[in-house]
């Protein structure tokens, strides 16, 4: 029924009503009674989805509406806003060290699950999942496994990380490149297309190296992840330390070519924002990113007029894509009433309906394959719709290095890429250096 | 002068500052020093491990030495060129040219702009596609690719130096305040004796400014040792280690490696290095001694 | 004879100063009118139109007004507390010799070198035990304490350059220790006091890390935290950030200009050195 309704106030109202209805049914097995006998529970939350954050409005809605839902009865939030994930990571680490962690620890892309578990300060959520089979079964087993350590679930995933290549159809046409069906059949074809674009006076790729080299990492990961089985395994591993291997070295070699031959001059040392702007201004033919970039294509402040009609999306060469369940939100190991209430919030946030709401409001892909995307959505958002469709055609699936690799390894990657581009380090030494740094974490 | 009542007053004068120092800084400082001898991460309690962190830093860590080298070079540049510029501007403004108050205020403005804004400005100004380098190179008739000042490790250090070297307004303001207290009759006498303005600056004013210039040099040195914001906004210490200084390295160790023990060992090294420099500068300027 | 030449040189230098100094603020001002696309199309281009939507956006995205008021209070009180505590201390250290003096000066100097990253955890714990987390008082105390060395070094060198004969004269006139300090020394040190005050005010005004770690709500947070609201995970709203910078930079500039005027006034009271 919900599927037929369009956006707007009606959805919100209806969804809230529906949810209230659903969750009261769940009450028998779910712990919906927060606090003891009507006493209020206050949940401490650090929220970095504020200000300019892409998911600010979605999280505001969640925090506003939860207390009036059935699951959130008697819950109040003690909300602390922390603008930027950078500041959030700094503060949350200080709080871990001082023992003052919030009751709900929102994931921020920086995977601290194993460290948090080691600290003994976060709650084992396995009993909650076992007590509510319906909730548990709404997640794919892989998603829960990714948030488990030694068979115990410690975090609730709330998104699927996916990424592919966006391309500018007009620029492809100008260079005489046919739009691939799902992807370029091989990396050779991809590089041939880059060469063609370059010959036509068009910069093929938006890349960067600063701030953990987000855009370049996409291609680097894709080249490793589609190289062979070994490489694919490597790109799916959490916190790998064995960088000194053929797949990584080859990918670095190719990335060097991309940075020096096929990208803008400012890619080396470049930050994400201005590099994305090159694509948004219609100056560059391809960029790789997640679906959260889609709203930017039609944002008049950021993109040239009419860009959104020119954007196509394809898989990485050889039908590869980033497709992994994300690291989830954690709950502090406090007293039972607080933990119960915190888990209830995460249940609310990851209800199938709210996963769809999240998709609509932020472009975040639902982590549950059971969350059915309404057809209207695909019609109104053909690009994301196409991405969801391509997801079913991917041959190689792999994770993002930004989520999987140790932070200091990403920092080293980011600082050495310019050295690679300017011939100051060989791909072989680069790989060795990454391995050396990654091993510092052990 | 040390009468009994004076003694009481002296204690009263010292007490609040010492109290504030001991409670708010002393206690945390002791914590930093002892945990520098511990295995201590963001997610675990400190456990004493002896000299391990220092051994790691001093003997097994190239980045640390890169950071020390860059820090020292920046300190040297700022203490010499930077303070000289600040001092020259102060002497220039002290001549009270028309509109000098305006110039004084204007020179201060860059030091007030938050680094998140000025950092991104420098980043974009030196960007090889969007910035000033491309047109400048074309103007100078150079062929070939545009210099990538922040992206190439051969230039990044100097590019960053340019973002702060000329902005010595803090020195200027401090020195101007001191210049104001110098008696006009002294200058008048020199002028009557036939000294040129430049000679007055050089032989009369500069010697009188010894103490305060020493203070400015100390502040400049400290400012460079603790410089963080601009580097973080523009290069994050890269490419390679070309712009890594102790502060950025320390930040990385704390937030990327999650290693508080090592972080605090770097802190202790940073404090020791800084104190050594402060003492050295103090010696060189005979700081703390009256002019008489 | 060479007067013309030298005044020509002076103005050439001053024009350079104006260019490198007004350049950045002018650039930020222009940026506050640009669209996000325009920021990245050229570092020099003028905005296509002068509309104030970025200013409205600046207010919409962050509680900038509230944080601004907090900043004013925190910085003003910090400066006052810092001065009240450090001035007497610096005076005694400038005038009297005692055993531990060198050690104390070294300890004071070390404060400037302390990285906030290392201190975050112990200071957080300390303020928690005083129940001062998320309060303006907590921030003020920390800022005032970290400001000790700069104020100390500046004031000490001012006190050192005041001739001892003045105090001796006051003492002969029957003035006590405290009276001499308040009535003779301080008035002669106004330029130093103001200079130290400005530096103290500015460093607290732009401080980010302790403000982030030690506060959690709207009651105590300051402008640098507000500026972070314009930065996102994937993209930054620089035009709104620049607008917020323009709005919040005026008070520190005004305070600077006003206080420098005070310095000049205090100097007309008569010079003492030489």
């Amino acid at each position: 029924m919900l599927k037929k309704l369009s956006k707007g106030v009606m959805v919100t109202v209806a969804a809230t009503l529906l949810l209230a209805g659903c969750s009261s049914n769940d009450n028998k097995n779910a712990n919906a009674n927060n606090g003891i006998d009507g006493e209020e529970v206050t949940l401490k939350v650090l929220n970095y989805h504020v200000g300019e954050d892409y998911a600010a409005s979605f999280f505001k809605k969640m925090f506003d509406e939860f207390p009036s839902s059935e699951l959130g009865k008697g819950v109040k939030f003690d909300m602390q806003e922390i603008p930027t994930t950078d500041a959030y990571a700094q503060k949350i680490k200080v709080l871990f060290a001082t023992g003052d962690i919030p009751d709900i620890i929102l994931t921020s892309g920086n995977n601290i699950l194993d460290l948090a578990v080691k600290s003994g300060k976060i709650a084992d959520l396995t009993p909650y999942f076992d007590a509510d089979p319906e909730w548990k079964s709404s997640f794919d087993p892989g998603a829960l496994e990714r948030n488990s350590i030694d068979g115990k679930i410690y975090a609730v995933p709330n998104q699927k990380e996916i990424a592919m290549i966006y391309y500018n159809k007009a620029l492809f046409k100008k260079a005489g490149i046919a739009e691939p069906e799902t992807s370029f059949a091989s990396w050779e074809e991809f590089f041939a297309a880059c060469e063609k674009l370059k010959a036509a006076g068009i910069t093929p790729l938006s890349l960067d190296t600063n701030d953990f080299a987000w855009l370049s990492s996409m291609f680097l990961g894709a080249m490793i992840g589609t190289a062979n089985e070994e490489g694919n395994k490597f790109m799916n591993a959490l916190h790998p330390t064995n960088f000194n291997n053929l797949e990584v070295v080859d990918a670095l070699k190719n990335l060097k070519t991309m940075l020096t031959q096929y990208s803008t001059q400012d890619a080396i040392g470049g930050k994400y924002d201005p590099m994305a702007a090159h694509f948004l201004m219609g100056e560059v033919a391809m960029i790789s990113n997640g679906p959260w970039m889609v709203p930017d294509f039609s944002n008049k402040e950021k993109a040239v007029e009419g860009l959104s009609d020119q954007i196509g999306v394809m898989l990485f060469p050889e039908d590869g894509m980033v497709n992994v369940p994300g690291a989830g939100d954690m709950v502090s190991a406090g007293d039972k009433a607080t933990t119960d209430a915190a888990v209830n919030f995460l249940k609310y946030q990851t209800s199938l309906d709210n996963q769809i709401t999240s998709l609509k409001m932020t472009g975040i892909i639902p982590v549950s394959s059971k969350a059915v995307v309404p057809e209207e959505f695909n019609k109104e958002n053909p690009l994301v719709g196409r991405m969801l469709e391509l997801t079913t055609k991917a041959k190689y699936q792999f994770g993002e290095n930004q989520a999987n690799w140790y932070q200091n390894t990403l920092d080293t990657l980011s600082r050495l890429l310019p050295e690679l581009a300017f011939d100051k380090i060989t791909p072989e030494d680069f790989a060795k250096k990454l391995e050396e740094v990654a091993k510092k974490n052990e | 002068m040390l009468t009994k009542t004076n003694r009481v007053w002296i204690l009263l004068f010292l007490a609040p500052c010492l109290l504030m120092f001991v409670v708010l800084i002393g206690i945390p400082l002791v914590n930093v020093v002892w945990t520098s001898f511990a295995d201590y991460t963001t997610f675990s309690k400190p456990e004493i491990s002896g000299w391990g962190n220092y051994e790691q830093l001093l003997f097994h860590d190239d980045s640390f030495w890169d950071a020390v080298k860059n820090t020292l070079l920046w300190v040297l540049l700022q203490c010499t060129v930077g303070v000289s510029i600040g001092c020259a501007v102060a002497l220039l403004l002290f001549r009270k040219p028309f509109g000098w108050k305006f110039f004084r205020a204007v020179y201060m403005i860059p030091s007030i702009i938050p680094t998140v804004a000025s950092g991104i400005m420098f980043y974009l100004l030196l960007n090889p596609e969007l910035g000033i380098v491309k047109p400048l190179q074309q103007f100078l008739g150079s062929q070939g690719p545009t210099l990538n000042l922040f992206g190439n490790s051969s230039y990044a250090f100097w590019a960053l130096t340019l973002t702060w070297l000329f902005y010595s307004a803090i020195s200027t303001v401090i020195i101007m305040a001191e210049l104001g207290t110098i008696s006009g009759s002294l200058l008048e006498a020199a002028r009557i004796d036939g000294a040129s303005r430049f000679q007055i600056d050089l032989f009369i004013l500069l010697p009188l400014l010894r103490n305060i210039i020493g203070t400015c040099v100390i502040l400049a040195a400290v400012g460079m040792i603790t410089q963080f914001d601009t580097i973080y906004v523009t290069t994050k210490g890269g490419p390679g280690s070309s712009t890594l200084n102790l502060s950025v390295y320390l930040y990385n160790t704390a937030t990327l490696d999650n290693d508080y023990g090592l972080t605090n060992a770097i802190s202790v090294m940073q404090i020791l290095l800084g104190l050594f420099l402060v003492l050295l500068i103090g010696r060189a300027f005979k700081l703390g001694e009256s002019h008489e | 004879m060479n007067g013309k030449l030298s005044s020509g040189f002076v103005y050439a230098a001053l024009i350079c100063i104006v260019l490198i100094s007004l350049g950045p603020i002018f650039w930020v001002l222009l940026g506050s009118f640009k669209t996000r696309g325009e920021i990245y199309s050229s570092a020099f281009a003028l905005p296509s139109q002068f509309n104030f939507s970025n200013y409205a956006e600046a207010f919409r995205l962050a509680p900038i007004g509230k944080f601004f008021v907090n900043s004013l209070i925190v910085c003003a009180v910090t400066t006052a507390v810092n001065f009240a505590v450090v001035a007497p201390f610096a005076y005694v250290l400038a005038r009297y010799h005692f055993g531990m003096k060198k050690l104390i000066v070294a300890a004071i100097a070390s404060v400037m070198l302390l990285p906030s990253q290392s201190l975050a955890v112990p200071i957080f714990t300390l303020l928690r035990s005083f129940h001062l987390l998320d309060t303006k008082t907590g921030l003020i105390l920390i800022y005032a304490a970290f400001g000790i060395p700069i104020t100390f070094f500046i004031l000490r060198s001012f006190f050192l350059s005041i001739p001892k004969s003045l105090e001796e004269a006051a003492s002969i006139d029957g003035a006590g220790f405290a009276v001499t300090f308040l009535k003779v020394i301080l008035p002669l040190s106004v330029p130093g006091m103001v200079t130290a005050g400005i530096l103290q005010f500015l460093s607290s005004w732009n401080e980010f890390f302790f403000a982030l770690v030690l506060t959690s709500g709207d009651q105590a947070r300051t402008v640098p935290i507000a500026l972070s609201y314009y930065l996102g995970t994937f993209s930054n709203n620089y035009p709104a950030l620049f607008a917020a910078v323009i709005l919040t930079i005026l008070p520190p500039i005004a305070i600077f200009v006003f206080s420098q005027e005070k310095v000049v006034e205090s100097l007309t009271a008569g010079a003492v050195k030489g």
Side-chain angles (χ1 to χ4, degrees), chain B residues 175-227:
Chain B
I175 292 171
M176 281 201 78
E178 178 86 2
L179 277 170
T181 64
I182 291 171
S183 110
S185 57
L186 188 73
L187 302 181
E188 206 48 47
R191 203 165 301 154
I192 289 165
D193 287 347
S196 74
R197 190 66 218 212
F198 183 64
Q199 285 169 326
I200 293 175
D201 286 347
L202 207 59
F203 300 116
I204 298 178
L205 296 182
L206 274 184
L208 282 174
L209 294 173
R210 191 197 74 221
N211 249 325
I212 204 76
I213 290 179
T215 303
C216 288
V217 171
I218 287 184
L219 294 182
V222 170
M224 275 301 111
I225 292 173
T226 53
Q227 165 62 252

Side-chain angles (χ1 to χ4, degrees), chain B residues 3-43:
Chain B
T3 62
K4 228 177 205 167
T5 32
N6 277 6
R7 268 175 204 282
V8 175
W9 276 113
I10 286 173
L11 281 179
L12 279 177
F13 269 41
L14 293 176
C17 191
L18 285 178
L19 183 74
M20 186 175 234
F21 179 81
V22 169
V23 174
L24 292 174
I25 292 171
I27 296 174
L29 182 60
V30 168
N31 185 296
V32 169
V33 173
W34 88 258
T35 52
S36 74
F37 293 98
D39 267 341
Y40 177 27
T41 75
T42 317
F43 300 91

Side-chain angles (χ1 to χ4, degrees), chain C residues 48-80:
Chain C
S48 57
Q49 51 177 339
F50 282 88
N51 64 42
F52 285 83
S53 62
N54 292 319
Y55 287 81
E57 195 69 358
F59 279 103
R60 189 184 68 78
L61 284 169
I64 184 113
K66 175 89 189 146
F67 287 15
F68 178 75
V69 174
N70 290 344
S71 264
L72 281 180
I73 297 171
V74 167
C75 296
V77 180
T78 297
T79 310

Side-chain angles (χ1 to χ4, degrees), chain C:
Chain C
M1 188 185 80
N2 57 8
K4 246 187 196 155
L5 189 77
S6 89
S7 85
F9 166 77
V10 168
Y11 275 95
L14 289 177
I15 286 168
C16 284
I17 292 175
V18 171
L19 285 180
I20 64 163
S21 304
L22 285 188
I25 190 73
F26 190 62
W27 191 88
V28 172
L29 180 67
L30 281 182
S32 73
F33 294 107
K34 291 184 179 180
T35 66
R36 294 163 81 164
E38 282 173 329
I39 293 267
Y40 294 129
S41 57
S42 158
F44 308 106
L46 294 174
S48 57
Q49 51 177 339
F50 282 88
N51 64 42
F52 285 83
S53 62
N54 292 319
Y55 287 81
E57 195 69 358
F59 279 103
R60 189 184 68 78
L61 284 169
I64 184 113
K66 175 89 189 146
F67 287 15
F68 178 75
V69 174
N70 290 344
S71 264
L72 281 180
I73 297 171
V74 167
C75 296
V77 180
T78 297
T79 310
V81 170
N82 173 265
F83 180 77
V85 168
V86 181
F89 180 81
Y91 175 64
V92 171
L93 263 79
R95 277 296 184 259
Y96 297 95
H97 294 281
F98 45 90
M100 307 244 285
K101 197 164 126 175
K102 283 222 163 102
L103 192 73
I104 293 179
V105 173
I108 298 282
S110 74
V111 179
M112 294 188 286
L113 300 153
L114 287 173
S116 23
Q117 285 292 332
S118 279
L119 292 169
V121 172
I123 286 197
F124 184 96
T125 324
L126 191 72
L127 285 198
R128 183 178 55 192
S129 58
F130 292 148
H131 300 288
L132 286 174
L133 281 178
D134 198 23
T135 61
K136 293 191 193 80
T137 316
L139 268 192
I140 288 166
L141 284 177
I142 295 300
Y143 289 169
F146 277 85
I148 290 174
I150 292 193
T151 310
F152 170 78
F153 280 113
I154 292 175
L155 286 184
R156 185 181 67 160
S157 54
F158 266 88
F159 293 151
L160 282 173
S161 57
I162 295 171
K164 278 186 185 140
S165 51
L166 285 174
E167 283 144 292
E168 281 151 18
S171 172
I172 290 165
D173 289 348
F177 187 88
V179 175
T180 310
F181 175 68
L182 289 174
K183 294 266 165 80
V184 179
I185 301 297
L186 282 190
L188 287 172
S189 315
V190 170
M193 285 156 55
V194 173
T195 308
I198 290 170
L199 297 185
Q200 181 62 44
F201 189 93
L202 287 182
S203 67
S204 334
W205 187 267
N206 282 329
E207 204 285 331
F208 174 77
F209 185 69
F210 280 128
L212 170 74
V213 171
L214 300 178
T215 69
S216 46
D218 290 357
Q219 289 315 307
R221 286 191 158 173
T222 50
V223 166
I225 305 279
L227 296 182
S228 282
Y229 275 77
Y230 309 111
L231 309 174
T233 312
F234 294 108
S235 68
N236 306 315
N237 194 340
Y238 284 124
L241 171 72
F242 295 154
V245 166
I246 294 295
L247 289 172
T248 53
I249 202 174
L250 291 172
I253 293 178
I255 284 169
F256 176 75
V257 171
F258 174 76
S259 60
Q260 290 296 296
E261 208 48 46
K262 280 271 156 237
V263 171
V264 177
E265 270 171 34
S266 78
L267 292 175
T268 52
V272 290
K273 283 170 62 180

Side-chain angles (χ1 to χ4, degrees), chain A residues 30-36 41 43 66 71-73 75 103-104 123-125 127-128 131 135 331-348:
Chain A
N31 252 320
N33 291 330
N34 298 302
I36 308 145
V41 180
L43 287 179
F66 176 64
L71 277 168
K73 232 182 212 168
V75 174
D103 299 315
I104 298 172
D124 173 10
L125 303 179
Y128 290 93
W135 183 46
V331 173
S332 82
D335 61 291
K336 189 167 178 313
T338 318
T339 312
D340 288 355
V343 171
N344 277 346
F345 174 75
L346 296 181
K347 272 188 195 176
Y348 180 76

Side-chain angles (χ1 to χ4, degrees), chain A residues 127-417:
Chain A
Y128 290 93
F129 279 98
D130 291 343
D132 188 351
E134 196 182 330
W135 183 46
K136 186 174 184 179
S137 69
S138 74
F139 297 98
D140 308 344
L144 292 181
E145 196 187 314
R146 189 179 161 80
N147 287 288
S148 302
I149 285 180
D150 297 332
K152 289 179 181 162
I153 309 169
Y154 287 100
V156 181
N158 57 21
Q159 62 172 300
K160 202 176 264 180
E161 290 160 3
I162 74 167
M164 311 176 182
I165 299 175
Y166 300 108
Y167 60 94
N168 187 318
K169 294 177 185 171
L171 296 180
F172 265 42
K173 200 169 166 193
K174 202 169 144 198
I177 299 167
E179 289 179 39
E181 180 69 22
T182 55
S183 76
F184 288 111
S186 67
W187 285 95
E188 285 72 36
E189 258 186 49
F190 170 82
F191 281 110
C194 287
E195 195 55 44
K196 247 181 169 175
L197 283 160
K198 196 182 171 189
I202 299 160
T203 310
L205 301 167
S206 268
L207 298 174
D208 59 3
T209 69
N210 212 326
D211 301 339
F212 294 172
W214 171 262
L215 295 170
S216 295
S217 282
M218 288 287 163
F219 284 102
L220 180 72
M223 286 188 282
I224 301 171
T226 58
N228 51 36
E229 207 174 305
E230 283 298 299
N232 192 263
K233 221 157 101 195
F234 180 85
M235 280 314 296
N236 277 305
L238 184 62
H239 297 161
T241 54
N242 54 328
F243 284 83
N244 195 6
N245 60 52
L246 212 63
E247 290 79 22
V248 173
V249 172
D250 275 348
L252 284 171
K253 262 181 209 157
N254 285 329
L255 185 57
K256 177 179 177 178
T257 313
M258 290 179 176
L259 277 168
T260 50
Q261 304 292 314
Y262 300 131
S263 193
T264 50
Q265 289 193 55
D266 55 355
I268 303 162
K271 286 167 172 287
Y272 168 83
D273 223 12
M275 301 310 119
H278 287 314
F279 183 79
L280 294 170
M281 301 310 277
E283 298 158 4
V284 172
M286 288 181 267
I287 192 169
S288 169
N289 214 337
W292 54 81
M293 196 185 187
V294 171
D296 287 358
F297 299 143
S298 48
N299 181 331
K300 276 190 202 127
E301 281 274 305
K302 296 184 186 174
V304 291
E305 196 98 16
L307 181 83
S308 58
D309 304 329
Q310 295 299 335
I311 303 297
V313 61
M314 61 178 156
L315 296 167
F316 289 107
E318 302 182 32
D319 289 334
M321 71 174 292
V322 168
N323 188 9
V324 281
D329 302 335
M330 299 178 281
V331 173
S332 82
D335 61 291
K336 189 167 178 313
T338 318
T339 312
D340 288 355
V343 171
N344 277 346
F345 174 75
L346 296 181
K347 272 188 195 176
Y348 180 76
Q349 190 202 329
T350 56
S351 75
L352 296 180
D353 289 326
N354 277 336
Q355 289 194 34
I356 296 300
T357 311
S358 171
L359 171 67
K360 284 178 182 167
M361 295 179 74
T362 65
I364 283 174
I365 304 297
V367 66
S368 307
S369 31
K370 285 186 180 166
V372 184
V373 181
E375 266 164 45
E376 260 78 18
F377 177 82
N378 288 340
K379 256 182 224 153
E380 282 166 24
N381 303 274
L383 210 54
V384 179
R386 172 73 179 147
M387 290 177 92
L388 291 170
E389 190 187 335
L390 281 172
T391 304
T392 60
K393 301 189 172 156
K395 211 166 71 190
Y396 289 102
Q397 308 198 345
F398 39 84
E400 279 164 0
N401 70 350
Q402 307 279 323
N404 281 353
W405 296 3
Y406 283 115
Q407 292 245 302
N408 64 355
T409 317
L410 292 170
D411 177 61
T412 304
L413 173 76
S414 169
R415 289 200 281 118
L416 289 184
L417 277 178

